[in-house]
Amino acid sequence: MQSYGQPELPEPISMGSYLGMSLLGMVPVIGLVFLLVWALDSPGRPNRRNFARGFLAARVIAWAVFFVLTFVLFLIMAVASPAFYY
């Protein structure tokens, strides 16, 4: 029952739903599509939308760290290799 003057609170997401969304988000292509749909879903459930946005942000940060570390390690290997001195 909704009283006047107070907004209706969104239905909470269960622990099983969070687990399912996490597992689905880890699937390479399909998970990315689902996360983008959920993250851009304006009238949808705000808990799911915020979860998807956070999951995508964590994925972008992880990829950025991966590429930076790979580049740094590649440079270290290139400089430290014996072929560099010849």
Side-chain angles (χ1 to χ4, degrees):
M1 181 172 158
Q2 181 177 358
S3 62
Y4 294 102
Q6 294 184 354
E8 187 174 329
L9 295 175
E11 183 180 331
I13 296 178
S14 67
M15 192 268 315
S17 295
Y18 276 115
L19 180 63
M21 289 188 302
S22 296
L23 292 174
L24 187 63
M26 292 179 202
V27 177
V29 176
I30 298 170
L32 182 64
V33 170
F34 270 100
L35 288 171
L36 287 173
V37 168
W38 290 336
L40 300 173
D41 188 21
S42 294
R45 299 169 80 173
N47 293 333
R48 183 174 63 189
R49 183 178 62 235
N50 290 336
F51 174 81
R53 288 177 181 174
F55 203 93
L56 285 171
R59 183 178 273 188
V60 167
I61 291 169
W63 277 103
V65 168
F66 171 75
F67 283 122
V68 166
L69 287 177
T70 303
F71 181 72
V72 168
L73 288 175
F74 178 76
L75 286 178
I76 290 172
M77 289 175 56
V79 169
S81 70
F84 179 74
Y85 299 108
Y86 294 112

